[in-house]
Amino acid sequence: MKLKYLMLLVVSTLVIGIDQATKTFIDRTMDIHSSITVVENFFNITYMRNRGAAFSFLAGFSYRLPFFILVSLVAVVVIAAFFRKLRPDQNFTAFALSLVFAGAVGNLIDRVRLGEVIDFLDVHWYGHHWPAFNVADSAICVGVFLLAIDMFIEERRQKRLKEPPPQQTG
């Protein structure tokens, strides 16, 4: 098995497993909207249900569930297509895409199973809360951040390959 596919399998299995296990634990042990303070005025575990996307975007849209399922499926297919085209030396890219893929699948499972996504990580500064999120969301964000770094590094690599070698004097 090629390293990139092994990486996809391992990363996806771990991320999806942790994502679904934490969501199941929260669902079974907490009441909706209940909160546990972890770090005062900074971080709580707060059980939320999100019918929309980030920041509850499109939560009231009447076709939101089929829309989000379709968008998730398209994302998974597009990521798989990009994955197939990776060069053997693009392990960093494979890792980043694996995170995004796993996050998309983790949230897709919730949407198919529950019609919404379970969120529970609540970062805030006193009364100013960032929208609650979950392990799948974190994997997507980290994966996209790593892809941005990878694109920067790849652009620099391509520029170096195009530069003529320095002239030697002799």
Side-chain angles (χ1 to χ4, degrees):
M1 178 182 277
K2 291 183 179 179
L3 179 60
K4 68 181 181 181
Y5 294 114
L6 180 61
M7 189 177 311
L8 177 65
L9 178 67
V10 170
V11 169
S12 294
T13 300
L14 286 172
V15 170
I16 294 167
I18 292 168
D19 177 64
Q20 291 300 301
T22 54
K23 289 172 180 174
T24 299
F25 178 77
I26 294 299
D27 188 48
R28 290 184 180 168
T29 61
M30 294 180 73
D31 294 324
I32 192 81
H33 303 295
S34 64
S35 190
I36 300 167
T37 300
V38 178
V39 178
E40 189 72 33
N41 296 314
F42 184 70
F43 179 67
N44 298 337
I45 302 296
T46 303
Y47 183 10
M48 307 287 290
R49 293 274 184 123
N50 185 354
R51 298 179 141 253
F55 305 100
S56 294
F57 178 67
L58 297 177
F61 178 53
S62 58
Y63 297 105
R64 70 171 172 71
L65 188 56
F67 174 76
F68 286 127
I69 289 172
L70 179 64
V71 167
S72 297
L73 289 171
V74 167
V76 166
V77 169
V78 168
I79 291 166
F82 273 111
F83 212 85
R84 290 187 63 219
K85 295 178 187 250
L86 291 178
R87 296 185 315 264
D89 66 321
Q90 290 183 288
N91 293 326
F92 188 77
T93 309
F95 177 71
L97 283 173
S98 296
L99 287 172
V100 177
F101 178 88
V105 171
N107 282 335
L108 176 62
I109 291 168
D110 277 15
R111 291 197 191 283
V112 169
R113 192 170 64 92
L114 306 169
E116 56 194 1
V117 174
I118 294 174
D119 290 327
F120 58 91
L121 300 171
D122 177 20
V123 177
H124 59 96
W125 183 253
Y126 293 87
H128 307 285
H129 288 256
W130 184 258
F133 57 98
N134 57 47
V135 173
D137 298 334
S138 299
I140 292 168
C141 289
V142 170
V144 168
F145 177 74
L146 294 177
L147 284 171
I149 290 171
D150 184 58
M151 287 169 45
F152 176 74
I153 292 169
E154 181 67 16
E155 183 179 303
R156 293 190 60 166
R157 187 182 81 80
Q158 291 296 329
K159 282 183 182 177
R160 276 197 314 271
L161 291 175
K162 290 179 182 177
E163 290 177 2
Q167 295 290 329
Q168 294 204 356
T169 57

